[in-house]
mmCIF file of all heavy atoms in Angstrom:
data_model
loop_
_atom_site.group_PDB
_atom_site.id
_atom_site.type_symbol
_atom_site.label_atom_id
_atom_site.label_comp_id
_atom_site.label_asym_id
_atom_site.label_seq_id
_atom_site.Cartn_x
_atom_site.Cartn_y
_atom_site.Cartn_z
ATOM 1 N N GLY A 1 89.984 -79.696 -189.831
ATOM 2 C CA GLY A 1 90.284 -78.571 -188.926
ATOM 3 C C GLY A 1 90.928 -77.401 -189.649
ATOM 4 O O GLY A 1 90.602 -77.171 -190.796
ATOM 5 N N VAL A 2 91.812 -76.702 -188.950
ATOM 6 C CA VAL A 2 92.443 -75.526 -189.588
ATOM 7 C C VAL A 2 93.724 -75.948 -190.290
ATOM 8 O O VAL A 2 94.660 -76.433 -189.637
ATOM 9 C CB VAL A 2 92.778 -74.438 -188.530
ATOM 10 C CG1 VAL A 2 93.575 -73.285 -189.162
ATOM 11 C CG2 VAL A 2 91.542 -73.933 -187.871
ATOM 12 N N LEU A 3 93.784 -75.804 -191.543
ATOM 13 C CA LEU A 3 94.959 -76.135 -192.322
ATOM 14 C C LEU A 3 95.857 -74.870 -192.387
ATOM 15 O O LEU A 3 95.399 -73.837 -192.938
ATOM 16 C CB LEU A 3 94.582 -76.556 -193.784
ATOM 17 C CG LEU A 3 93.852 -77.874 -193.927
ATOM 18 C CD1 LEU A 3 93.672 -78.228 -195.385
ATOM 19 C CD2 LEU A 3 94.605 -79.039 -193.197
ATOM 20 N N GLY A 4 96.987 -74.960 -191.794
ATOM 21 C CA GLY A 4 97.847 -73.799 -191.718
ATOM 22 C C GLY A 4 99.068 -74.146 -190.922
ATOM 23 O O GLY A 4 99.639 -75.238 -191.016
ATOM 24 N N VAL A 5 99.538 -73.217 -190.077
ATOM 25 C CA VAL A 5 100.768 -73.355 -189.407
ATOM 26 C C VAL A 5 100.812 -74.540 -188.413
ATOM 27 O O VAL A 5 101.739 -75.341 -188.399
ATOM 28 C CB VAL A 5 101.183 -72.022 -188.711
ATOM 29 C CG1 VAL A 5 102.389 -72.202 -187.784
ATOM 30 C CG2 VAL A 5 101.468 -70.940 -189.739
ATOM 31 N N SER A 6 99.830 -74.605 -187.515
ATOM 32 C CA SER A 6 99.828 -75.687 -186.534
ATOM 33 C C SER A 6 99.809 -77.055 -187.185
ATOM 34 O O SER A 6 100.554 -77.932 -186.796
ATOM 35 C CB SER A 6 98.571 -75.575 -185.642
ATOM 36 O OG SER A 6 98.709 -74.514 -184.745
ATOM 37 N N GLN A 7 98.921 -77.231 -188.160
ATOM 38 C CA GLN A 7 98.817 -78.501 -188.851
ATOM 39 C C GLN A 7 100.069 -78.845 -189.563
ATOM 40 O O GLN A 7 100.519 -80.002 -189.684
ATOM 41 C CB GLN A 7 97.641 -78.498 -189.817
ATOM 42 C CG GLN A 7 97.142 -79.847 -190.290
ATOM 43 C CD GLN A 7 97.724 -80.218 -191.639
ATOM 44 O OE1 GLN A 7 98.475 -79.463 -192.228
ATOM 45 N NE2 GLN A 7 97.379 -81.425 -192.081
ATOM 46 N N ALA A 8 100.804 -77.766 -190.097
ATOM 47 C CA ALA A 8 102.039 -78.018 -190.854
ATOM 48 C C ALA A 8 103.130 -78.548 -189.940
ATOM 49 O O ALA A 8 103.913 -79.392 -190.297
ATOM 50 C CB ALA A 8 102.495 -76.707 -191.491
ATOM 51 N N PHE A 9 103.186 -78.064 -188.693
ATOM 52 C CA PHE A 9 104.172 -78.581 -187.735
ATOM 53 C C PHE A 9 103.864 -80.050 -187.345
ATOM 54 O O PHE A 9 104.817 -80.845 -187.189
ATOM 55 C CB PHE A 9 104.223 -77.707 -186.446
ATOM 56 C CG PHE A 9 105.113 -76.489 -186.565
ATOM 57 C CD1 PHE A 9 104.570 -75.238 -186.598
ATOM 58 C CD2 PHE A 9 106.478 -76.641 -186.683
ATOM 59 C CE1 PHE A 9 105.351 -74.108 -186.722
ATOM 60 C CE2 PHE A 9 107.299 -75.541 -186.785
ATOM 61 C CZ PHE A 9 106.762 -74.265 -186.811
ATOM 62 N N LEU A 10 102.628 -80.406 -187.266
ATOM 63 C CA LEU A 10 102.243 -81.772 -186.999
ATOM 64 C C LEU A 10 102.687 -82.659 -188.186
ATOM 65 O O LEU A 10 103.224 -83.741 -188.014
ATOM 66 C CB LEU A 10 100.800 -81.963 -186.737
ATOM 67 C CG LEU A 10 100.238 -81.286 -185.460
ATOM 68 C CD1 LEU A 10 98.694 -81.309 -185.394
ATOM 69 C CD2 LEU A 10 100.842 -81.990 -184.224
ATOM 70 N N ALA A 11 102.465 -82.152 -189.396
ATOM 71 C CA ALA A 11 102.860 -82.921 -190.573
ATOM 72 C C ALA A 11 104.378 -83.040 -190.735
ATOM 73 O O ALA A 11 104.841 -84.047 -191.239
ATOM 74 C CB ALA A 11 102.309 -82.153 -191.809
ATOM 75 N N ALA A 12 105.144 -82.089 -190.097
ATOM 76 C CA ALA A 12 106.599 -82.108 -190.158
ATOM 77 C C ALA A 12 107.203 -83.042 -189.141
ATOM 78 O O ALA A 12 108.431 -83.306 -189.155
ATOM 79 C CB ALA A 12 107.127 -80.688 -189.988
ATOM 80 N N GLY A 13 106.393 -83.583 -188.232
ATOM 81 C CA GLY A 13 106.927 -84.531 -187.290
ATOM 82 C C GLY A 13 106.708 -84.281 -185.797
ATOM 83 O O GLY A 13 107.011 -85.081 -184.959
ATOM 84 N N ALA A 14 106.056 -83.081 -185.463
ATOM 85 C CA ALA A 14 105.833 -82.812 -184.061
ATOM 86 C C ALA A 14 104.726 -83.697 -183.570
ATOM 87 O O ALA A 14 103.734 -83.959 -184.251
ATOM 88 C CB ALA A 14 105.421 -81.353 -183.884
ATOM 89 N N ARG A 15 104.782 -84.091 -182.255
ATOM 90 C CA ARG A 15 103.708 -84.901 -181.684
ATOM 91 C C ARG A 15 102.539 -84.034 -181.249
ATOM 92 O O ARG A 15 101.413 -84.474 -181.255
ATOM 93 C CB ARG A 15 104.276 -85.660 -180.432
ATOM 94 C CG ARG A 15 105.281 -86.694 -180.743
ATOM 95 C CD ARG A 15 104.705 -87.949 -181.319
ATOM 96 N NE ARG A 15 103.753 -88.595 -180.475
ATOM 97 C CZ ARG A 15 102.948 -89.608 -180.826
ATOM 98 N NH1 ARG A 15 103.013 -90.077 -182.058
ATOM 99 N NH2 ARG A 15 102.143 -90.154 -180.007
ATOM 100 N N SER A 16 102.816 -82.783 -180.880
ATOM 101 C CA SER A 16 101.712 -81.891 -180.472
ATOM 102 C C SER A 16 102.178 -80.416 -180.685
ATOM 103 O O SER A 16 103.360 -80.165 -180.838
ATOM 104 C CB SER A 16 101.350 -82.110 -179.001
ATOM 105 O OG SER A 16 102.462 -81.843 -178.116
ATOM 106 N N VAL A 17 101.187 -79.547 -180.739
ATOM 107 C CA VAL A 17 101.431 -78.112 -180.964
ATOM 108 C C VAL A 17 100.624 -77.335 -179.938
ATOM 109 O O VAL A 17 99.364 -77.566 -179.853
ATOM 110 C CB VAL A 17 101.111 -77.693 -182.375
ATOM 111 C CG1 VAL A 17 101.273 -76.176 -182.551
ATOM 112 C CG2 VAL A 17 101.966 -78.425 -183.379
ATOM 113 N N VAL A 18 101.235 -76.387 -179.264
ATOM 114 C CA VAL A 18 100.538 -75.461 -178.343
ATOM 115 C C VAL A 18 100.441 -74.167 -179.122
ATOM 116 O O VAL A 18 101.401 -73.610 -179.589
ATOM 117 C CB VAL A 18 101.306 -75.255 -177.045
ATOM 118 C CG1 VAL A 18 100.629 -74.104 -176.218
ATOM 119 C CG2 VAL A 18 101.273 -76.526 -176.224
ATOM 120 N N ALA A 19 99.177 -73.657 -179.279
ATOM 121 C CA ALA A 19 98.964 -72.414 -180.056
ATOM 122 C C ALA A 19 97.851 -71.625 -179.457
ATOM 123 O O ALA A 19 97.053 -72.150 -178.627
ATOM 124 C CB ALA A 19 98.698 -72.738 -181.501
ATOM 125 N N SER A 20 97.707 -70.347 -179.851
ATOM 126 C CA SER A 20 96.725 -69.493 -179.217
ATOM 127 C C SER A 20 95.524 -69.237 -180.190
ATOM 128 O O SER A 20 95.677 -69.155 -181.347
ATOM 129 C CB SER A 20 97.378 -68.140 -178.860
ATOM 130 O OG SER A 20 97.666 -67.383 -180.007
ATOM 131 N N LEU A 21 94.354 -69.074 -179.531
ATOM 132 C CA LEU A 21 93.135 -68.848 -180.276
ATOM 133 C C LEU A 21 92.857 -67.367 -180.567
ATOM 134 O O LEU A 21 92.077 -67.019 -181.443
ATOM 135 C CB LEU A 21 91.917 -69.426 -179.522
ATOM 136 C CG LEU A 21 91.940 -70.940 -179.349
ATOM 137 C CD1 LEU A 21 90.892 -71.346 -178.342
ATOM 138 C CD2 LEU A 21 91.696 -71.633 -180.664
ATOM 139 N N TRP A 22 93.499 -66.463 -179.771
ATOM 140 C CA TRP A 22 93.287 -65.028 -179.974
ATOM 141 C C TRP A 22 94.603 -64.282 -179.687
ATOM 142 O O TRP A 22 95.573 -64.884 -179.300
ATOM 143 C CB TRP A 22 92.121 -64.556 -179.157
ATOM 144 C CG TRP A 22 92.218 -64.717 -177.632
ATOM 145 C CD1 TRP A 22 92.978 -64.054 -176.796
ATOM 146 C CD2 TRP A 22 91.460 -65.730 -176.897
ATOM 147 N NE1 TRP A 22 92.774 -64.505 -175.490
ATOM 148 C CE2 TRP A 22 91.843 -65.552 -175.517
ATOM 149 C CE3 TRP A 22 90.540 -66.702 -177.223
ATOM 150 C CZ2 TRP A 22 91.313 -66.340 -174.501
ATOM 151 C CZ3 TRP A 22 90.014 -67.456 -176.192
ATOM 152 C CH2 TRP A 22 90.398 -67.267 -174.893
ATOM 153 N N ALA A 23 94.495 -62.998 -179.873
ATOM 154 C CA ALA A 23 95.647 -62.101 -179.631
ATOM 155 C C ALA A 23 95.913 -62.089 -178.135
ATOM 156 O O ALA A 23 95.018 -61.781 -177.363
ATOM 157 C CB ALA A 23 95.376 -60.669 -180.136
ATOM 158 N N VAL A 24 97.122 -62.415 -177.761
ATOM 159 C CA VAL A 24 97.484 -62.596 -176.322
ATOM 160 C C VAL A 24 98.318 -61.400 -175.852
ATOM 161 O O VAL A 24 98.936 -60.694 -176.643
ATOM 162 C CB VAL A 24 98.261 -63.891 -176.085
ATOM 163 C CG1 VAL A 24 97.300 -65.040 -176.328
ATOM 164 C CG2 VAL A 24 99.466 -64.007 -176.961
ATOM 165 N N GLU A 25 98.326 -61.226 -174.499
ATOM 166 C CA GLU A 25 99.080 -60.136 -173.883
ATOM 167 C C GLU A 25 100.550 -60.572 -173.648
ATOM 168 O O GLU A 25 100.758 -61.627 -173.077
ATOM 169 C CB GLU A 25 98.390 -59.787 -172.587
ATOM 170 C CG GLU A 25 98.674 -58.390 -172.046
ATOM 171 C CD GLU A 25 100.001 -58.335 -171.284
ATOM 172 O OE1 GLU A 25 100.390 -59.367 -170.699
ATOM 173 O OE2 GLU A 25 100.637 -57.265 -171.249
ATOM 174 N N ASP A 26 101.457 -59.791 -174.067
ATOM 175 C CA ASP A 26 102.848 -60.142 -174.074
ATOM 176 C C ASP A 26 103.451 -60.497 -172.720
ATOM 177 O O ASP A 26 104.045 -61.623 -172.576
ATOM 178 C CB ASP A 26 103.708 -58.982 -174.768
ATOM 179 C CG ASP A 26 105.104 -59.411 -175.093
ATOM 180 O OD1 ASP A 26 105.391 -60.591 -175.299
ATOM 181 O OD2 ASP A 26 105.924 -58.476 -175.294
ATOM 182 N N GLU A 27 103.254 -59.667 -171.735
ATOM 183 C CA GLU A 27 103.861 -59.864 -170.432
ATOM 184 C C GLU A 27 103.280 -61.128 -169.734
ATOM 185 O O GLU A 27 104.032 -61.901 -169.148
ATOM 186 C CB GLU A 27 103.675 -58.648 -169.562
ATOM 187 C CG GLU A 27 104.289 -58.725 -168.204
ATOM 188 C CD GLU A 27 104.125 -57.545 -167.333
ATOM 189 O OE1 GLU A 27 103.440 -56.557 -167.807
ATOM 190 O OE2 GLU A 27 104.727 -57.469 -166.247
ATOM 191 N N ILE A 28 101.978 -61.244 -169.750
ATOM 192 C CA ILE A 28 101.332 -62.369 -169.000
ATOM 193 C C ILE A 28 101.652 -63.691 -169.745
ATOM 194 O O ILE A 28 101.830 -64.743 -169.127
ATOM 195 C CB ILE A 28 99.842 -62.169 -168.835
ATOM 196 C CG1 ILE A 28 99.540 -60.845 -168.142
ATOM 197 C CG2 ILE A 28 99.218 -63.271 -168.083
ATOM 198 C CD1 ILE A 28 100.292 -60.646 -166.831
ATOM 199 N N THR A 29 101.712 -63.646 -171.023
ATOM 200 C CA THR A 29 102.063 -64.838 -171.812
ATOM 201 C C THR A 29 103.450 -65.331 -171.406
ATOM 202 O O THR A 29 103.717 -66.580 -171.326
ATOM 203 C CB THR A 29 101.952 -64.549 -173.292
ATOM 204 O OG1 THR A 29 100.591 -64.280 -173.661
ATOM 205 C CG2 THR A 29 102.396 -65.788 -174.113
ATOM 206 N N ALA A 30 104.355 -64.409 -171.234
ATOM 207 C CA ALA A 30 105.734 -64.786 -170.806
ATOM 208 C C ALA A 30 105.695 -65.561 -169.479
ATOM 209 O O ALA A 30 106.380 -66.555 -169.279
ATOM 210 C CB ALA A 30 106.629 -63.572 -170.696
ATOM 211 N N LYS A 31 104.829 -65.104 -168.573
ATOM 212 C CA LYS A 31 104.720 -65.839 -167.263
ATOM 213 C C LYS A 31 104.076 -67.177 -167.426
ATOM 214 O O LYS A 31 104.495 -68.168 -166.835
ATOM 215 C CB LYS A 31 103.918 -64.940 -166.275
ATOM 216 C CG LYS A 31 104.607 -63.663 -165.865
ATOM 217 C CD LYS A 31 103.727 -62.792 -164.987
ATOM 218 C CE LYS A 31 104.463 -61.486 -164.610
ATOM 219 N NZ LYS A 31 103.626 -60.627 -163.726
ATOM 220 N N LEU A 32 103.010 -67.224 -168.240
ATOM 221 C CA LEU A 32 102.297 -68.487 -168.443
ATOM 222 C C LEU A 32 103.281 -69.526 -169.107
ATOM 223 O O LEU A 32 103.326 -70.687 -168.719
ATOM 224 C CB LEU A 32 101.116 -68.268 -169.342
ATOM 225 C CG LEU A 32 100.180 -69.476 -169.544
ATOM 226 C CD1 LEU A 32 98.756 -69.071 -169.632
ATOM 227 C CD2 LEU A 32 100.578 -70.250 -170.852
ATOM 228 N N MET A 33 104.070 -69.081 -170.066
ATOM 229 C CA MET A 33 104.929 -70.006 -170.794
ATOM 230 C C MET A 33 106.106 -70.453 -169.916
ATOM 231 O O MET A 33 106.595 -71.603 -170.038
ATOM 232 C CB MET A 33 105.428 -69.401 -172.139
ATOM 233 C CG MET A 33 104.360 -69.377 -173.197
ATOM 234 S SD MET A 33 103.822 -71.053 -173.537
ATOM 235 C CE MET A 33 102.331 -70.729 -174.543
ATOM 236 N N THR A 34 106.599 -69.533 -169.063
ATOM 237 C CA THR A 34 107.665 -69.949 -168.124
ATOM 238 C C THR A 34 107.147 -71.036 -167.205
ATOM 239 O O THR A 34 107.824 -72.062 -166.979
ATOM 240 C CB THR A 34 108.122 -68.722 -167.341
ATOM 241 O OG1 THR A 34 108.714 -67.780 -168.214
ATOM 242 C CG2 THR A 34 109.182 -69.172 -166.306
ATOM 243 N N ALA A 35 105.927 -70.867 -166.716
ATOM 244 C CA ALA A 35 105.291 -71.883 -165.845
ATOM 245 C C ALA A 35 105.093 -73.161 -166.638
ATOM 246 O O ALA A 35 105.309 -74.269 -166.064
ATOM 247 C CB ALA A 35 103.950 -71.356 -165.298
ATOM 248 N N PHE A 36 104.683 -73.088 -167.887
ATOM 249 C CA PHE A 36 104.467 -74.313 -168.674
ATOM 250 C C PHE A 36 105.788 -75.161 -168.785
ATOM 251 O O PHE A 36 105.768 -76.359 -168.575
ATOM 252 C CB PHE A 36 104.029 -73.903 -170.114
ATOM 253 C CG PHE A 36 104.023 -75.006 -171.099
ATOM 254 C CD1 PHE A 36 103.080 -75.986 -171.067
ATOM 255 C CD2 PHE A 36 104.951 -75.042 -172.112
ATOM 256 C CE1 PHE A 36 103.079 -77.051 -171.967
ATOM 257 C CE2 PHE A 36 104.991 -76.088 -173.019
ATOM 258 C CZ PHE A 36 104.067 -77.074 -172.971
ATOM 259 N N HIS A 37 106.886 -74.468 -169.058
ATOM 260 C CA HIS A 37 108.140 -75.172 -169.177
ATOM 261 C C HIS A 37 108.605 -75.800 -167.827
ATOM 262 O O HIS A 37 109.182 -76.858 -167.808
ATOM 263 C CB HIS A 37 109.216 -74.267 -169.793
ATOM 264 C CG HIS A 37 109.123 -74.107 -171.265
ATOM 265 N ND1 HIS A 37 109.635 -75.007 -172.168
ATOM 266 C CD2 HIS A 37 108.493 -73.171 -172.039
ATOM 267 C CE1 HIS A 37 109.402 -74.660 -173.389
ATOM 268 N NE2 HIS A 37 108.696 -73.518 -173.373
ATOM 269 N N LYS A 38 108.384 -75.000 -166.742
ATOM 270 C CA LYS A 38 108.740 -75.525 -165.436
ATOM 271 C C LYS A 38 107.927 -76.788 -165.128
ATOM 272 O O LYS A 38 108.547 -77.798 -164.622
ATOM 273 C CB LYS A 38 108.478 -74.493 -164.380
ATOM 274 C CG LYS A 38 109.511 -73.308 -164.336
ATOM 275 C CD LYS A 38 109.166 -72.344 -163.233
ATOM 276 C CE LYS A 38 110.158 -71.161 -163.204
ATOM 277 N NZ LYS A 38 109.807 -70.181 -162.171
#
């Protein structure tokens, strides 16, 4: 797969990583991530 930041966090001990495939919009991303945590 992609060797870089996401894979490095998995190697450091994380069970999973949520990451984006493209440039995201700041305001809507804030709403999406708030909903994710809820």
Side-chain angles (χ1 to χ4, degrees):
V2 176
L3 293 184
V5 170
S6 290
Q7 196 265 359
F9 275 111
L10 294 172
R15 293 286 298 172
S16 60
V17 176
V18 172
S20 71
L21 294 169
W22 56 77
V24 293
E25 202 276 333
D26 193 21
E27 182 178 5
I28 305 307
T29 296
K31 294 178 180 179
L32 185 145
M33 286 299 168
T34 297
F36 169 73
H37 282 275
K38 286 180 179 177

